């Protein structure tokens, strides 16, 4: 049962039961006071903890922002570039989240702490003061009453009457105070229900707002996260292929180091100990040098270097070699020695010591010493050729795979038993038995055996299908440029291949495109096929770690071939195709993500990725199922638009406007990777302090936004045509949906920053500025 009401009429009776009810009300208010006091303490602790958490999150975000992955080689893939930029993106995400948490911490103070402190001080404090008065008057009233009742009846009537009046006045004052106290008690009991709970509601409203903002940030982050998952999976797949190649090269070199020496302009190079003679009685010392010799010019150079001291200990010395002779052990107290004589110091030989007898023989052979060792020449015989049998083998294998195993999971990744593969290759490469082998109907040959034999045949060609000569040229566009320029470059280079190579490549790539169409079943996406066939079709002439680091770019070239095979093989390239573009220019980023604010239209046109997900056609733009394997996503390397990075510079974002001074901008762009600066500056629409220098470095798809009130900028693009370089789906009725290559008429700048207005198929609407190129 709750508190009993305090009747005003009971104030005059002042019964024990009335007093008991008053004490119950007072006890409840004291309990409320303690609750509010504890809540205030916890609230302040919560604010302190929130600030500590926010500081830790910001420090974590700062660490993410400042770190950058270094890459091996001379360029990064798009996937690696976006993975590298992902740390900056994660940092921005946390930064935005902490801004909302800061608002939450402020709202706790304003909406919870201060109102509760005010209620406790003004309302509960007032009741305490009333209680003190009530208790004091109670004591005074009953003390005076007892004193009055003890008066002798023999006193004068005037004195007794005066005493009666005093008691009566005191009693009235006590009753009035009692009525006010009872009223205040009941008022505060009712008032606390909203004045205490309303601040708590406001606190939770702020908390809900914070979580909702986090949800909105996460939703905006989702399209980037999906693209990043593909980037990571593509990088993982390429890593697996690269690792196996590196390990194989390492094992080859471990077995026979001399057969896998790097091809360079030095005939011989390595460490030798050089005897340095000193005046008697100090004798001589032996100093380790790194020596290099060029047989064509007879120039011998050496640099003193001691590993234990951690670096170079002297200057390089260069001389022209006159002759080299072997030193026998009867003339010197050390093994593996030989003498050199320089043209500028005739008659003063330099004695050197090799690491072993075999090492000395190699040096003397290179230096034309008196006991030069004859060169062992190994001739490799290749039976695989691009002849009639070769085309028959490939066509038979492809036909068998498409008939029997097009849906097999891990097709071309799962390898066959080596002995079976070798036996099948032997039969296929023999003109007498090739036609007798039935791959489509025979159960003797598993699909994995057929695919492994096919790959082995291609690897056994004297030269890779895409030739050593064009290897470097194919790699260059994969390292830079827009998706369209990459396709055009590969298209151009494919038609420079010898006719037989191009014909064989067309047969193979058409088949791989068919395999990728069944990726939902066989899990062999374009990216996975690139990993498998990149090293097979584009192996480098020289096996080095540097060449292996380019495997990822070989894979990208194969992905481009598969995704664009119809255009590449069925049409002729542009005869005036320019040289591959500089690697300093990177593809444009999509417009930056914006935090959703109430009443603000979302200015974030998302690119439509061509993901290979387990979705029905009707749901092709929905989120992927939770059970969809990451590996089933298609490649983004050649045609898919780049993920949108919001790598915001220092400054304040107001809608789509960036507020910052030129010094902040200069410092921010200086810290960016060289490949990223032009595209990032382009989507922010920031005018450069030096327009001439900036425009020279920017790609053709950079369009500076017109300054407010400037008609010249608007007139410069008025009524021009533009072509879409990325696909886009409209998120609003005022926007246009379009595919790559769409031509827009009457294109003008929109009043909305970052957008253009144009006409497509008779409909006029908004177009994201970064998604088009003016014609």
């Amino acid at each position: 049962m709750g508190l009993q009401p305090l009747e005003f009429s009971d104030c005059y009776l002042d019964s024990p039961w009335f007093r008991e009810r008053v004490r119950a009300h007072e006890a409840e208010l004291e309990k409320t006071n303690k609750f509010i006091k504890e809540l205030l303490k916890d609230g302040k602790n919560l604010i302190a903890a929130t600030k500590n958490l926010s500081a830790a999150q910001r420090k974590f975000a700062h660490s993410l922002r400042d770190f950058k992955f270094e890459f091996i080689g001379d360029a990064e893939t798009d996937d690696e570039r976006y993975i590298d930029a992902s740390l900056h993106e994660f940092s921005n995400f946390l930064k935005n989240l902490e801004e909302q948490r800061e608002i939450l911490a402020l709202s706790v103070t304003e909406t919870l702490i201060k109102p509760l402190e005010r209620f406790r001080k003004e309302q509960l404090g007032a009741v305490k003061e009333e209680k003190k008065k009530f208790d004091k008057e109670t004591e005074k009233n009953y003390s005076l009453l007892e004193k009055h009742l003890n008066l002798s009846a023999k006193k004068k009537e005037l004195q007794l009457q005066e005493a009666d009046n005093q008691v009566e006045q005191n009693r009235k004052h006590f009753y009035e105070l009692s009525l006010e106290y009872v009223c205040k008690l009941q008022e505060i009991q009712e008032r606390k229900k909203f004045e205490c709970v309303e601040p708590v509601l406001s606190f939770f409203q702020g908390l809900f707002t914070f979580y909702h903002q986090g949800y909105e940030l996460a939703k905006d982050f989702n399209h980037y996260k999906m693209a990043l998952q593909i980037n990571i999976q593509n990088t993982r797949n390429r890593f697996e292929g690269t690792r196996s190649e590196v390990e194989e090269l390492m094992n080859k070199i471990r077995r026979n180091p001399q057969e896998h020496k790097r091809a360079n302009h030095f005939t011989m190079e390595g460490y030798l100990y050089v005897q340095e003679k000193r005046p008697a009685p100090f004798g001589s010392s032996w100093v380790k040098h790194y020596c290099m010799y060029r047989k064509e010019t007879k120039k011998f150079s050496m640099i003193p270097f001691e590993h234990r001291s951690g670096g170079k200990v002297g200057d390089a010395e260069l001389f022209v070699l006159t002759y080299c002779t072997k030193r026998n052990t009867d003339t010197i107290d050390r093994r593996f020695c030989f003498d050199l004589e320089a043209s500028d110091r005739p008659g003063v030989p330099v004695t050197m010591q090799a690491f072993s007898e075999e090492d000395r023989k190699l040096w003397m052979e290179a230096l034309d010493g008196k006991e030069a060792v004859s060169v062992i020449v190994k001739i490799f015989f290749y039976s695989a050729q691009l002849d009639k049998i070769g085309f028959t083998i490939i066509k038979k294998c492809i036909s068998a795979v498409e008939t029997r195993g097009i849906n097999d999971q891990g097709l071309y990744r799962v390898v066959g038993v080596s002995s079976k593969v070798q036996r099948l290759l032997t039969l296929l490469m023999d003109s007498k038995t090739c036609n007798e082998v039935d791959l489509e109907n025979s159960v003797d040959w598993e699909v994995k055996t057929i695919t492994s034999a096919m790959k082995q045949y291609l690897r056994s060609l004297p030269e890779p299908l895409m030739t050593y000569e064009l290897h470097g040229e194919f790699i260059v566009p994969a390292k830079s440029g827009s998706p369209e320029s990459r396709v055009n470059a590969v298209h151009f280079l494919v038609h420079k291949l010898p006719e037989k190579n191009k014909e064989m490549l067309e047969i193979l790539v058409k088949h791989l495109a068919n395999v990728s169409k069944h990726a939902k079943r066989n899990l062999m996406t374009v990216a996975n096929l690139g990993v498998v066939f990149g090293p097979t079709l584009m192996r480098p002439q020289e096996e080095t770690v540097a060449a292996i680091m380019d495997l990822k770019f070989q894979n990208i070239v194969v992905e481009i071939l598969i995704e664009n095979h119809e255009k590449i093989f069925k049409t002729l390239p542009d005869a005036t195709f320019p040289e591959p573009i500089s690697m300093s220019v990177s593809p444009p980023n999509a417009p930056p993500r914006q935090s959703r604010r109430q009443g603000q239209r979302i200015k974030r046109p998302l690119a439509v990725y061509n993901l290979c997900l387990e979705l029905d056609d009707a749901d092709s733009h929905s989120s992927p199922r939770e059970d969809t394997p990451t590996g089933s996503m298609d490649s983004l390397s050649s045609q898919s638009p780049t993920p949108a990075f919001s790598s915001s510079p220092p400054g304040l974002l107001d809608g789509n406007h960036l507020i910052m001074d030129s010094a902040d901008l200069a410092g921010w762009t200086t810290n960016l990777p060289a490949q990223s600066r032009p595209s990032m500056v382009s989507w922010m629409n920031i005018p450069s302090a030096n327009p001439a220098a900036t425009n020279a470095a920017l790609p053709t798809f950079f369009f500076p936004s017109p300054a407010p009130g400037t008609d010249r900028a608007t007139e410069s693009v008025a009524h021009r045509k533009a072509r879409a370089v990325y696909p886009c789906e409209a998120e609003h009725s005022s926007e246009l949906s379009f595919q790559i290559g769409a031509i827009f008429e009457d294109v003008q700048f929109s009043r909305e920053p970052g957008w253009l207005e144009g006409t497509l198929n008779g409909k006029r609407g908004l177009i994201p500025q970064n998604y088009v190129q003016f014609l």
Side-chain angles (χ1 to χ4, degrees):
M1 184 176 177
L3 295 171
Q4 292 188 18
L6 300 174
E7 298 293 344
F8 290 119
S9 58
D10 288 342
C11 294
Y12 293 93
L13 295 174
D14 201 11
S15 66
W17 299 278
F18 169 73
R19 287 286 176 162
E20 186 177 340
R21 289 196 291 272
V22 168
R23 284 194 296 272
H25 278 260
E26 291 172 345
E28 174 59 26
L29 289 181
E30 184 60 30
K31 180 179 167 186
T32 301
N33 183 55
K34 287 182 179 179
F35 162 71
I36 294 175
K37 189 175 180 180
E38 193 68 26
L39 195 63
L40 287 171
K41 179 183 174 183
D42 292 340
K44 290 175 181 177
N45 289 338
L46 175 62
I47 294 173
T50 301
K51 289 180 178 178
N52 289 336
L53 174 61
S54 183
Q57 290 268 50
R58 287 177 185 275
K59 189 175 183 304
F60 182 74
H62 186 78
S63 299
L64 286 176
R65 186 194 65 194
D66 290 348
F67 183 77
K68 176 175 172 55
F69 290 110
E70 287 297 338
F71 57 93
I72 300 175
D74 58 0
E76 294 174 290
T77 64
D78 288 347
D79 295 314
E80 290 172 330
R81 193 177 297 117
Y82 302 144
I83 288 172
D84 189 32
S86 67
L87 297 185
H88 201 284
E89 185 72 11
F90 293 147
S91 172
N92 287 335
F93 177 81
L94 286 177
K95 179 183 174 185
N96 292 336
L97 191 65
E98 291 317 304
E99 288 173 359
Q100 300 302 324
R101 197 189 303 277
E102 202 171 274
I103 295 172
L104 171 65
L106 290 173
S107 71
V108 172
T109 301
E110 295 297 324
T111 62
L112 179 68
I113 303 298
K114 288 184 178 179
L116 287 178
E117 284 181 335
R118 190 165 51 248
F119 176 77
R120 182 169 174 265
K121 180 180 179 180
E122 295 177 2
Q123 301 296 329
L124 293 179
V127 172
K128 284 187 175 182
E129 290 299 320
E130 290 290 327
K131 181 180 184 306
K132 289 179 182 177
K133 291 181 183 179
F134 179 71
D135 291 341
K136 184 178 179 181
E137 286 299 320
T138 298
E139 177 65 25
K140 182 180 177 182
N141 179 63
Y142 286 106
S143 296
L144 188 61
L145 183 62
E146 288 181 6
K147 183 179 178 182
H148 179 67
L149 294 176
N150 287 330
L151 283 176
S152 172
K154 294 179 180 181
K155 286 197 174 189
K156 292 180 181 181
E157 185 65 26
L158 185 62
Q159 288 180 325
L160 292 174
Q161 190 176 358
E162 186 179 343
D164 289 342
N165 290 336
Q166 185 181 0
V167 168
E168 186 62 29
Q169 286 178 0
N170 191 73
R171 183 182 298 164
K172 285 181 180 180
H173 180 69
F174 170 68
Y175 289 153
E176 287 176 2
L177 193 66
S178 179
L179 287 171
E180 290 177 1
Y181 182 51
V182 165
C183 182
K184 191 67 177 177
L185 278 176
Q186 297 191 115
E187 176 190 328
I188 201 70
Q189 294 291 3
E190 295 301 312
R191 184 186 287 271
K192 71 179 183 182
K193 295 175 185 176
F194 58 87
E195 290 212 4
C196 286
V197 178
E198 192 173 38
V200 177
L201 174 61
S202 298
F203 162 72
F204 275 96
Q205 184 62 38
L207 197 64
F208 297 152
T209 302
F210 168 71
Y211 284 118
H212 180 71
Q213 290 289 344
Y215 168 76
E216 288 294 324
L217 285 172
K219 195 158 64 171
D220 282 348
F221 197 77
N222 189 57
H223 74 291
Y224 168 80
K225 183 186 70 174
M226 289 179 61
L228 184 60
Q229 285 176 340
I230 299 173
N231 299 143
I232 292 171
Q233 187 60 37
N234 289 346
T235 305
R236 185 189 299 277
N237 291 341
R238 289 167 186 148
F239 162 75
E240 294 296 338
T242 302
R243 183 177 64 175
S244 62
E245 294 286 335
V246 169
E247 288 178 352
E248 185 178 343
L249 175 60
M250 179 183 68
N251 292 329
K252 285 180 181 178
I253 293 177
R254 180 184 291 160
R255 289 192 294 269
N256 197 337
Q258 296 303 325
E259 285 190 4
H260 291 82
K261 291 177 64 177
R262 290 187 60 190
N264 54 41
H265 57 277
F266 292 112
T267 308
M268 186 69 181
E269 60 181 318
Y271 284 100
L272 292 171
Y273 281 89
V274 180
Q275 185 183 35
E276 294 185 355
K277 296 180 180 180
R278 298 179 180 179
F282 299 106
S284 62
S285 63
W286 294 83
V287 180
K288 187 167 66 174
H289 288 66
Y290 191 79
C291 302
M292 296 159 286
Y293 178 66
R294 293 189 66 174
K295 196 168 188 176
E296 298 83 6
T297 60
K298 291 188 175 294
K299 288 183 178 179
F300 191 97
S301 57
M302 55 187 187
I303 302 171
F305 188 91
E306 178 52 61
H307 290 86
R308 287 174 294 185
S309 64
K312 199 168 83 170
V313 294
D315 297 325
E317 185 180 352
L318 177 67
F319 59 85
V320 177
L321 180 69
T322 303
Y323 74 88
C324 168
T325 56
K326 178 182 175 183
R327 284 288 293 270
N328 295 321
T329 53
D330 57 351
T331 61
I332 193 169
D333 193 28
R334 287 207 172 201
R335 299 188 299 162
F336 321 134
C337 293
F338 57 93
D339 288 340
L340 301 181
E341 185 174 305
S343 60
D344 59 342
R345 285 173 287 181
V348 184
V350 179
T351 303
M352 297 189 172
Q353 182 182 27
F355 285 180
S356 64
E357 184 60 35
E358 182 183 0
D359 190 32
R360 178 170 67 173
K361 287 179 181 178
L362 291 171
W363 274 104
M364 292 192 66
E365 173 191 342
L367 298 170
D368 292 325
K370 289 186 177 180
E371 295 187 13
V373 183
S374 59
V375 180
I376 300 174
V377 180
K378 292 189 176 181
I379 302 176
F380 295 88
F381 295 93
Y382 297 91
S383 54
Q385 299 292 334
L386 287 177
D387 52 11
K388 183 178 179 180
I389 291 180
F391 276 89
T392 302
I393 291 171
I394 294 298
K395 289 177 181 178
K396 283 176 74 76
C397 290
I398 288 175
S399 177
V401 170
E402 294 192 347
T403 302
R404 298 173 51 192
I406 196 71
N407 292 319
D408 288 5
Q409 285 194 7
L411 185 65
Y412 286 109
R413 277 208 162 190
V414 179
V415 296
V417 178
S418 180
S419 57
K420 288 185 178 180
V421 173
Q422 197 58 47
R423 189 163 71 252
L424 176 59
L425 263 181
T426 303
L427 292 173
L428 289 174
M429 296 176 74
D430 188 341
S431 57
K432 297 178 181 179
T433 57
C434 179
N435 293 327
E436 298 175 3
V437 178
D438 185 1
L439 298 179
E440 294 186 21
N441 302 308
S442 175
V443 295
D444 295 337
W445 308 111
E446 299 173 287
V447 172
K448 63 182 181 180
T449 305
I450 297 171
T451 57
S452 296
M454 180 175 162
K455 289 187 293 182
Q456 185 61 44
Y457 165 79
L458 292 170
R459 291 193 197 104
S460 301
L461 290 171
E463 189 176 27
L465 209 54
M466 298 175 74
T467 73
Y468 293 133
E469 182 183 357
L470 295 177
H471 179 86
E473 294 185 49
F474 273 112
I475 291 293
V476 169
K479 292 182 176 180
S480 61
S482 65
E484 184 182 12
S485 69
R486 293 178 182 183
V487 174
N488 291 338
V490 172
H491 187 190
F492 181 78
L493 293 170
V494 163
H495 286 263
K496 288 178 68 176
L497 289 170
E499 195 57 38
K500 284 187 177 181
N501 294 59
K502 182 160 72 74
E503 184 182 349
M504 177 71 84
L505 186 63
E506 180 180 1
I507 293 170
L508 179 63
V509 170
K510 182 180 178 181
H511 165 63
L512 296 181
N514 189 26
V515 171
S516 69
K517 290 177 183 177
H518 295 76
K520 291 181 181 179
R521 298 286 297 277
N522 59 35
L523 303 184
M524 293 304 293
T525 63
V526 173
N528 290 340
L529 290 170
V531 170
V532 173
F533 281 90
T536 300
L537 301 179
M538 290 186 64
R539 68 179 185 271
Q541 189 164 11
E542 183 184 2
E543 283 189 285
T544 63
V545 173
I548 291 172
M549 288 301 116
D550 277 344
L551 274 177
K552 52 198 172 189
F553 299 109
Q554 297 172 192
N555 303 344
I556 291 172
V557 174
V558 175
E559 292 170 18
I560 292 172
L561 287 172
I562 296 172
E563 291 174 337
N564 304 275
H565 69 283
E566 289 289 341
K567 175 183 177 180
I568 290 172
F569 293 102
K570 300 299 183 185
T571 63
L572 291 175
D574 187 355
T576 59
F577 183 76
E579 293 298 316
I581 66 172
S582 169
M583 283 184 284
S584 64
V585 179
S586 58
N589 288 332
R593 301 192 317 274
Q594 301 291 334
S595 299
R596 299 188 180 187
R597 303 190 182 112
Q598 190 169 358
Q600 180 187 26
R601 197 169 72 78
I602 302 169
K603 305 183 184 72
R604 182 178 53 79
L606 294 180
V608 181
Y609 297 108
N610 179 26
L611 305 182
C612 181
L613 303 175
E614 293 186 348
L615 302 172
D616 296 333
D617 292 339
D619 299 324
S620 59
H621 303 302
S622 305
S623 300
R625 297 181 197 165
E626 292 182 0
D627 59 350
T628 302
T630 310
S632 69
M633 297 181 179
D634 211 342
S635 164
L636 291 178
S637 61
S638 59
Q639 280 192 324
S640 302
T642 60
F645 294 108
S646 67
S647 309
S648 301
L652 299 175
L653 279 172
D654 178 19
N656 264 6
H657 300 298
L658 183 67
I659 307 169
M660 66 185 332
D661 59 30
S662 57
D664 286 339
L665 173 61
W668 178 74
T669 53
T670 301
N671 294 328
L672 289 174
Q675 303 96 320
S676 305
R677 292 176 201 159
S679 55
M680 287 186 175
V681 173
S682 70
W683 61 249
M684 292 191 299
N685 302 318
I686 301 172
S688 170
N690 183 359
T694 304
N695 293 338
L698 294 179
T700 56
F701 38 75
F702 172 77
F703 314 112
S705 289
T710 303
D711 294 329
R712 185 176 62 182
T714 305
E715 289 172 359
S716 66
V717 296
H719 312 297
R720 289 186 60 183
K721 292 184 179 181
R723 180 169 55 84
V725 293
Y726 296 110
C728 181
E729 275 210 349
E731 294 184 349
H732 193 273
S733 59
S734 63
E735 300 171 14
L736 294 177
S737 295
F738 50 86
Q739 297 298 321
I740 295 176
I743 304 297
F744 303 96
E745 304 283 345
D746 192 19
V747 179
Q748 302 178 36
F749 279 112
S750 170
R751 293 181 181 178
E752 197 166 356
W755 295 77
L756 303 171
E757 291 182 9
T759 303
L760 178 65
N761 299 329
K763 181 182 177 183
R764 190 157 186 82
L766 292 174
I767 310 160
Q769 185 172 314
N770 293 35
Y771 280 43
V772 301
Q773 184 176 18
F774 282 107
L775 300 177

